[in-house]
């Protein structure tokens, strides 16, 4: 319990200091675009009512989840195939390198052409942007399965789907999670960008609306909400990761100790 | 010489393995012929790098020989046979760190399609046999090296193989643990009547454990000699290792290995393939 409290203090100290600095520095500001934090925080409860969260935050989060989940599924599935077969890898690698180099936001106008401006477009943009780190990390992780483990599995008749499920994917999971983590931050960025182009709701849409209507403190509250959302998602991600990769962290801690 | 325990469980005939790749050609095993009878515990001893692992992987169906063949009960081995279990040298990399000890032992049994209750029975029994009944819930990396190798042995036992192939299983554990594990293997062998092929580079270990010792030459590898170990069945670390007969046998094996290093099996591989040479008088 004491250690938990101590950690909480560590976690909260820097944000508290930054907020205090922001508060002090902006307190006497008369610049319209740079309102005092006091004003922003006062506006916050008025803007972010339950109703507003339902109409704007929820759709954004749903689209992000759908895009992210699609990317995770496709990335892991394709990555496993590409990582498992040397031939497939030789064929796919140049194409992958090219596609990865295309910045996903430029795809928004293109995707709008054939997927319209609805949910599908936004989910597609998020999925296409998120898939690369997941895919490439999965390929690396699947390739790096230890040769002794692979032979052990083979000698005990663990092949096919069982091998995939019990050996290949768990062995690649630390790498896959590294990809998923990168993809999460990319996903949040693309969620906002896709809503700035063409949308009728969502967090990105709301921020742009406020900016166009010169509701500057309201716009700032939107930015705070986005920051909080990102933080929350990262906390959730960490909880999941710690659960799934518990063995990995334990293993690493023991090998470090024994050195 | 005849062996009372049975006939030809494993036959290695004219086995040759050449690794080819990236312009390099390594002849790991030149020409090996020997037999392991049912219920025998045979030790293969040879210098490091002479192709022991290669031979064992060919026997276990993990590698395809360049020439020759391996027969398990008269049937040619083309892939890992269900009646064979492997204990690898690198125990740390052979257990899956994301599975608990019990799950590691159980995985091959699931693959065999055994019922849940049967699996549980086999896992518990195997872990008990190696003295790790309480460790089922631990992760392998929470255990010492010797305990990890015990888990690997338990996994092999639970698989209920006819033949157990062990590749220098104790090369990386400390001397005391090693002595305990050697006794464990002999005990299990006597208890369960499995055929065991035990590979080692340690002459003492080979003589202490084996019913028979197959001495391999240095690379390019052929069988230098085969030797029956006529020590009593009841062996223990304290007395067996100081018995005069033990000293004679280990000296003989040592001389054979020295001869193999000096000798030129390259010129006369046929001569080196002796079978069942009598033990020194
Ligand atoms: N995959 C491989 N590719 C090429 N050469 C190999 C490979 N595996 C082993 N070798 C070579 O084959 C020889 C025998 O190796 P190995 O069977 O591991 O010997 P041992 O187990 O007796 O120490 C060595 O010279 C080694 O370098
Ligand atoms: Mg070896």
């Amino acid at each position: 319990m004491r250690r938990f409290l101590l950690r909480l203090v560590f976690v909260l100290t820097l944000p508290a200091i930054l907020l205090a600095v922001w508060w002090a520095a902006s307190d006497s500001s008369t610049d319209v675009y740079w309102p005092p934090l006091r004003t922003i925080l006062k506006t916050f409860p008025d803007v972010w009512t339950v109703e507003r969260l339902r109409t704007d935050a929820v759709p954004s989060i749903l689209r992000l989840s759908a895009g992210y989940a699609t990317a995770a599924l496709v990335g892991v599935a394709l990555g496993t195939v590409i990582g498992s077969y040397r031939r497939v890898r030789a064929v796919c690698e140049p194409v992958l390198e090219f596609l990865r180099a295309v910045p996903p936001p430029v795809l928004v106008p293109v995707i709008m052409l054939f997927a319209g401006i609805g949910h599908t477009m936004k989910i597609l943009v998020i999925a296409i942007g998120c898939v690369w780190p997941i895919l490439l990390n999965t390929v690396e992780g699947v390739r790096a399965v230890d040769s002794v483990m692979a032979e052990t599995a083979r000698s005990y008749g663990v092949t096919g789907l069982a091998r995939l499920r019990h050996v290949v994917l768990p062995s690649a999971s630390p790498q896959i999670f590294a990809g998923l983590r990168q993809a999460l931050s990319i996903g949040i960025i693309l969620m906002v960008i896709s809503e700035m182009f063409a949308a009728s709701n969502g967090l990105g849409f709301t921020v742009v609306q406020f900016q166009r209507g010169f509701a500057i403190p309201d716009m700032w509250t939107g930015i705070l909400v986005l920051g909080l959302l990102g933080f929350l998602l990262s906390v959730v991600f960490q909880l999941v990761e710690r659960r799934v990769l518990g063995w990995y962290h334990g293993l690493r801690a023991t090998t470090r100790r024994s050195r | 010489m005849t062996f009372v325990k049975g006939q030809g469980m494993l036959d290695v005939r004219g086995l040759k393995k050449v690794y080819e790749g990236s312009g390099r050609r390594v002849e790991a095993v030149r020409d090996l012929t020997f037999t392991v009878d049912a219920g025998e515990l045979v030790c293969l001893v040879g210098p490091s790098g002479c192709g022991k692992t290669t031979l064992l992987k060919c026997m276990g169906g993990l590698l395809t020989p360049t020439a020759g063949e391996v027969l398990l009960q008269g049937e040619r081995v083309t892939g890992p046979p269900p009646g064979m279990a492997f204990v690898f040298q690198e125990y740390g990399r052979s257990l899956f760190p994301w599975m608990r000890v019990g799950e590691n032992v159980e995985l091959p049994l699931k693959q065999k399609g055994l019922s849940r209750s049967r699996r549980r029975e086999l896992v518990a029994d195997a872990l008990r046999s190696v003295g790790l009944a309480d460790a089922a819930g631990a992760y392998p990396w929470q255990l010492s090296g010797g305990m990890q190798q015990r888990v690997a042995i338990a996994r092999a036992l639970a698989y209920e193989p006819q033949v157990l192939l062990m590749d220098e299983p104790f090369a990386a554990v400390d001397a005391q643990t090693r002595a305990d594990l050697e006794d464990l293997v002999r005990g299990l062998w006597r208890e369960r009547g499995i055929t065991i092929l035990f590979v080692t580079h340690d002459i003492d270990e080979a003589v202490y454990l084996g019913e028979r010792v197959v001495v391999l030459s240095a690379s390019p590898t052929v069988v230098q000699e085969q030797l029956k170990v006529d020590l009593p069945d009841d062996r223990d670390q304290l007395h067996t290792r100081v018995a005069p007969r033990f000293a004679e046998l280990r000296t003989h094996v040592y001389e054979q290995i020295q001869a193999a290093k000096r000798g030129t099996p390259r010129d006369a591989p046929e001569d080196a393939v002796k079978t069942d040479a009598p033990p020194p008088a």
Side-chain angles (χ1 to χ4, degrees), chain A residues 151, chain B residues 17-22 24-29 46-57 63 89-90 167-168 199-201 216-217 219 221:
Chain A
E151 274 181 331
Chain B
K17 178 69 188 176
V18 179
Y19 290 107
E20 309 230 33
S22 56
R24 227 166 65 94
R25 189 175 172 284
V26 182
E27 185 182 42
V29 173
S48 277
C50 77
K52 301 185 294 296
T53 299
T54 305
L55 163 65
L56 223 54
K57 282 184 181 168
L63 281 177
Q89 184 172 359
E90 305 93 338
D167 186 10
E168 301 198 39
V199 163
T200 176
H201 65 250
L216 299 183
S217 70
S219 187
T221 313

Side-chain angles (χ1 to χ4, degrees), chain A residues 2-254:
Chain A
R2 257 197 65 194
R3 283 191 44 194
F4 176 75
L5 285 178
L6 202 68
R7 262 196 69 186
L8 206 67
V9 170
F10 274 128
V11 169
L12 292 179
T13 307
L14 191 58
I17 291 175
L18 289 176
L19 276 177
V21 170
W22 184 3
W23 184 288
S26 65
D27 201 37
S28 55
S29 166
T30 51
D31 189 336
V32 217
Y33 301 125
W34 181 238
L37 181 55
R38 191 161 24 88
T39 320
I40 298 173
L41 291 183
K42 211 156 60 211
T43 329
F44 197 100
D46 300 335
V47 178
W48 295 100
T49 56
V50 174
E51 184 56 19
R52 168 71 42 44
L53 288 175
R54 201 178 59 76
T55 55
D56 287 310
V58 171
S60 286
I61 294 170
L62 285 182
R63 286 191 292 254
L64 174 61
S65 313
Y68 187 72
T70 310
L73 267 172
V74 172
V76 171
L78 268 183
T80 306
V81 172
I82 296 174
S84 303
Y85 302 100
R86 199 150 36 90
R87 296 248 166 75
V88 181
R89 199 155 58 239
V91 172
C92 292
E93 220 139 51
V95 182
L96 289 183
E97 288 302 323
F98 174 78
L99 288 177
R100 187 170 73 122
V102 177
V106 310
L107 293 175
V108 175
V110 182
I111 294 172
M112 267 167 70
L113 286 181
F114 58 85
I117 57 171
H119 289 306
T120 321
M121 177 277 272
K122 300 185 188 74
I123 293 171
L124 257 181
V125 170
I126 295 170
I128 290 177
C130 287
V131 82
W132 303 113
I134 302 174
L135 176 69
L136 295 171
N137 275 286
T138 305
V139 170
E140 285 312 307
V142 167
R143 275 182 65 177
V145 171
D146 186 278
S147 60
V148 178
M149 286 184 195
E151 274 181 331
T152 304
R154 203 152 89 78
S155 74
Y156 282 105
V158 181
T159 52
L161 275 183
R163 177 183 137 92
L164 194 65
R165 173 157 167 239
H166 295 297
V167 181
V168 175
L169 287 180
S171 159
S173 59
Q175 279 261 9
I176 293 176
F177 266 85
L180 285 171
R181 171 172 281 286
Q182 288 172 30
L184 186 61
S185 32
I186 295 177
I188 295 171
I189 294 171
L190 289 176
M191 172 190 86
V192 175
I193 291 181
S194 67
E195 291 170 354
M196 286 176 164
F197 269 83
S200 52
N201 61 16
L203 294 171
F205 167 77
T206 312
V207 170
V208 172
Q209 280 304 99
F210 286 143
Q211 185 248 346
R212 292 201 180 129
F214 285 99
I216 301 304
D218 304 43
M219 179 194 81
W220 278 99
T221 62
I223 291 170
L224 278 184
V225 167
L226 280 170
L228 281 175
L229 176 66
F231 175 74
L232 224 84
L233 289 178
S234 137
V235 168
V236 170
F237 185 92
Q238 247 177 40
L239 286 178
V240 173
E241 195 217 34
R242 205 167 295 168
R243 217 184 137 63
V244 178
L245 293 187
W247 65 269
Y248 180 67
H249 297 303
L251 173 66
R252 288 227 332 218
T254 16

